[in-house]
Amino acid sequence: MSNSQNWPTWVEISRSALKHNLKQYNNIKAKNSQIAPVLKSNAYGHGLIECANLLKNEPIWGFCTVNLSESLILRHFGFSGRLLVLSFVDEDLSLGIKKDITFSVYSQKFARKLNSLARKLNKKVKIHLKVETGTGRLGLWPEDFYNIVKKISKMKNLSIEGVFTHLADSENANWNFTNKQIKRFNQILEKLKKENINIPLKHMACSAAAIGHSKIHYNLIRLGLSLYGLYPSEAVKKRVKDKYNNFSLKPVLSWYTKIIQIKKLPAGHNIGYGCSYKTKTKKKIAVLPVGYWDGYDRHLSNKNFVLIKGQRCSVLGRICMNMHMVDITPIKNIRVGERVTLIGCDGSEKITVEEMAEKIGTINYEIPTRINPLIPRIICQ
């Protein structure tokens, strides 16, 4: 049990589960490949600084962030290792250059700007070139890639450290489209080799793709969702079972709150906004200080459960901005301040991220990522 008595709601991050999941991928990676944990979006909701602290001394290449802000936060908190911005720059670019942050480049214009600022600051900046192979997002077109590489190679204040792409459909059981992307990327690598252009790092594998085939591990894997103990899809989960005997993931995140009021309601009493639930019999309900502001999705209204004393308790009425209500009628000896499990285990019962995602018609990624970053993340064993 964590030191959580001062918080109305809190998230617990399991140190052992996080390190276990990293080890699973270290066990299956290609011999010459390294792993770069992806800490974007507050480490998929698990806590940017908290997860960085837990992983900084593990056998990793460095960290990936989605933008410059995240990398600067890590530098501010003393992380001196490699930091790669995977996507966009949302802060003072000069500050990122001064802090020795590595940037993704997906346009000549950005490369020129980066080179110009680096020259003024008398710095040399490491960059990774992102190539478009089918996701239709950020990236240089393959048709233009070689000419752009040659132009960027002449920019004296830039050092091309890596080349990468992003897969659009590797979570799917059918890899027809993924194989097309792999082919396009390999063609680019072959052309670079033919032109005697040496770029040290090549990467395209995410959590799902890394399980697919070691041939696309190259020498770097960007490990995102599965680092936190979640499978990107049921197809990936099946792929793991078919391919690896001893591979397993452990969910890193649990989410808790406390009862702030208990009240008895008569039959025919409405609960919550919109009067969306009316009691048919006498009910004993608990009011919980968690709502959609906290990241507890409003679409879970009248259809979700929480765990109290190892029992499932139904959510009654609409999720409010800062509260919601649950049915505790069957539970005896319950009191204000009792711990409530929103995500995680209590005895033999559990509430999973996947269960919640299915109820609101979304993917498991969205559930932890949307937990309000202001809610404390507490490290536990």
Side-chain angles (χ1 to χ4, degrees):
M1 179 67 178
S2 65
N3 182 22
S4 57
Q5 61 267 26
N6 296 324
W7 304 105
T9 181
W10 69 99
V11 168
E12 292 188 2
I13 301 300
S14 170
R15 174 189 292 106
S16 58
L18 189 68
K19 295 186 177 184
H20 167 86
N21 298 333
L22 177 63
K23 186 177 180 181
Q24 299 305 292
Y25 275 84
N26 269 318
N27 288 341
I28 68 168
K29 68 179 177 61
K31 183 178 179 181
N32 297 321
S33 186
Q34 300 179 80
I35 290 177
V38 180
L39 300 183
K40 69 177 183 175
S41 303
N42 200 30
Y44 289 64
H46 293 67
L48 175 66
I49 301 303
E50 292 83 357
C51 290
N53 270 322
L54 293 175
L55 294 167
K56 64 183 179 181
N57 294 321
E58 295 296 312
I60 60 172
W61 173 83
F63 295 130
C64 296
T65 66
V66 71
N67 54 34
L68 180 54
S69 292
E70 291 177 343
S71 285
L72 290 175
I73 290 170
L74 289 170
R75 283 285 188 258
H76 176 77
F77 281 90
F79 296 99
S80 57
R82 299 185 188 94
L83 295 176
L84 170 63
V85 175
L86 291 174
S87 298
F88 55 93
V89 173
D90 57 339
E91 285 281 356
D92 182 358
L93 185 54
S94 297
L95 188 56
I97 295 170
K98 292 174 184 176
K99 296 292 183 180
D100 294 318
I101 289 166
T102 303
F103 294 92
S104 295
V105 169
Y106 43 86
S107 74
Q108 284 191 75
K109 183 179 179 180
F110 180 63
R112 288 193 295 268
K113 181 178 180 180
L114 193 58
N115 183 64
S116 177
L117 285 172
R119 183 172 61 249
K120 292 176 183 177
L121 295 168
N122 196 29
K123 298 278 287 184
K124 193 154 189 174
V125 181
K126 290 180 180 177
I127 63 170
H128 288 218
L129 300 175
K130 187 169 188 179
V131 60
E132 163 64 53
T133 59
T135 304
R137 217 164 63 175
L138 297 175
L140 299 161
W141 286 108
E143 296 81 1
D144 306 326
F145 189 74
Y146 318 112
N147 291 330
I148 291 173
V149 169
K150 290 176 181 178
K151 291 177 182 178
I152 293 176
S153 297
K154 295 176 182 178
M155 298 180 186
K156 295 182 179 179
N157 291 83
L158 300 184
S159 173
I160 304 176
E161 181 187 49
V163 56
F164 74 109
T165 194
H166 189 64
L167 295 170
D169 202 33
S170 59
E171 293 89 352
N172 202 327
N174 185 323
W175 261 37
N176 286 342
F177 188 78
T178 298
N179 286 329
K180 290 178 181 178
Q181 286 193 264
I182 294 170
K183 183 178 179 180
R184 290 180 191 131
F185 191 63
N186 283 334
Q187 287 173 341
I188 290 167
L189 297 183
E190 289 167 9
K191 177 70 173 178
L192 290 173
K193 185 177 180 180
K194 185 178 179 180
E195 298 289 333
N196 292 316
I197 299 172
N198 179 38
I199 300 178
L201 294 175
K202 295 97 176 169
H203 50 107
M204 77 183 314
C206 54
S207 295
I211 292 169
H213 205 297
S214 60
K215 70 181 180 180
I216 59 169
H217 290 183
Y218 300 105
N219 49 15
L220 194 64
I221 294 169
R222 305 187 304 271
L223 183 56
L225 186 74
S226 291
L227 174 65
Y228 308 102
L230 302 172
Y231 289 96
S233 67
E234 284 300 313
V236 172
K237 193 172 184 178
K238 183 179 184 302
R239 192 184 304 155
V240 167
K241 289 182 179 179
D242 293 342
K243 193 166 185 177
Y244 302 106
N245 293 325
N246 300 313
F247 189 99
S248 65
L249 296 178
K250 296 180 180 180
V252 172
L253 179 148
S254 300
W255 190 6
Y256 303 100
T257 188
K258 296 175 181 176
I259 296 173
I260 58 172
Q261 186 178 26
I262 294 172
K263 62 199 304 182
K264 294 179 180 178
L265 299 179
H269 198 288
N270 294 312
I271 298 177
Y273 288 118
C275 302
S276 66
Y277 185 90
K278 182 181 285 189
T279 59
K280 294 179 181 178
T281 59
K282 292 180 180 179
K283 290 283 186 185
K284 183 169 65 172
I285 69 161
V287 182
L288 310 180
V290 174
Y292 55 80
W293 179 88
D294 303 278
Y296 200 77
D297 199 289
R298 191 168 178 270
H299 291 94
L300 294 169
S301 301
N302 290 308
K303 65 173 72 170
N304 202 43
F305 299 89
V306 302
L307 302 179
I308 304 175
K309 289 193 167 186
Q311 297 184 53
R312 286 193 162 226
C313 301
S314 301
V315 172
L316 302 181
R318 287 186 185 160
I319 307 295
C320 311
M321 187 181 294
N322 306 104
M323 289 179 282
H324 71 281
M325 289 65 74
V326 298
D327 184 2
I328 57 171
T329 307
I331 304 179
K332 297 179 180 179
N333 301 319
I334 194 166
R335 57 182 174 79
V336 169
E338 196 88 52
R339 189 181 78 161
V340 179
T341 302
L342 303 173
I343 297 175
C345 299
D346 186 353
S348 61
E349 285 284 355
K350 64 180 178 180
I351 304 283
T352 67
V353 165
E354 286 76 14
E355 176 186 342
M356 292 173 70
E358 185 177 356
K359 285 175 181 174
I360 62 176
T362 189
I363 54 175
N364 56 359
Y365 292 73
E366 190 172 343
I367 302 300
T369 304
R370 291 183 64 193
I371 298 175
N372 195 311
L374 297 179
I375 295 173
R377 271 63 173 172
I378 298 170
I379 306 302
C380 64
Q381 185 52 42

